[in-house]
Amino acid sequence: MIQTGGVVCMAVADIGARIERARQAASMSQRALADATGISQSTLSRIISGDRVAKMPEIVAIAWETGHTVAQLTGIGVVSERVQCAARATNDSDMAGMRQALLDFLELDAYLDDQAIPATI
């Protein structure tokens, strides 16, 4: 991971390698993936090699065309692997039920993020 200005980002080369594996798994040439996503082949090549940072809309387009999720391409695990704490049970409430409700909410939130659906206020 790379930390820039207090923001932690995935290493560019790691994302490029994941995109390359996804491209190969989808049996697509770089040219075919570039055409399908609207990303120039030279830009796609630089993303894959780690010479250029992929922008989120590009990652979403690549994920869509290769049949992968944004989480798979960026290396962010499933929500259940990322959850490190949960609410404390009180008043004889069921901790397992509370944890499941929280996990369901976080899974939905992650799904909406993966699909590039913005949050509304």
Side-chain angles (χ1 to χ4, degrees):
M1 291 211 189
I2 301 170
Q3 185 168 357
T4 57
V7 176
V8 177
C9 306
M10 294 301 301
V12 176
D14 292 343
I15 293 175
R18 286 186 183 92
I19 289 172
E20 177 63 7
R21 286 192 298 274
R23 181 191 67 76
Q24 291 173 348
S27 299
M28 297 180 83
S29 67
Q30 268 193 17
R31 167 58 64 202
L33 182 57
D35 290 345
T37 60
I39 301 169
S40 73
Q41 185 175 1
S42 63
T43 298
L44 181 61
S45 177
R46 290 183 13 241
I47 290 169
I48 289 171
S49 69
D51 292 336
R52 181 186 177 281
V53 176
K55 297 174 184 165
M56 186 52 70
E58 294 167 336
I59 294 172
V60 170
I62 293 166
W64 179 264
E65 294 300 332
T66 61
H68 288 75
T69 66
V70 170
Q72 289 171 317
L73 296 182
T74 59
I76 299 171
V78 294
V79 171
S80 60
E81 294 172 351
R82 294 184 303 173
V83 174
Q84 295 182 11
C85 67
R88 181 176 61 182
T90 59
N91 301 332
D92 296 323
S93 59
D94 177 23
M95 187 62 174
M98 288 176 61
R99 183 178 187 287
Q100 187 59 51
L102 176 62
L103 195 53
D104 290 344
F105 173 77
L106 293 173
E107 289 282 354
L108 175 60
D109 185 58
Y111 172 78
L112 294 174
D113 283 347
D114 281 348
Q115 301 303 313
I117 298 172
T120 58
I121 299 176

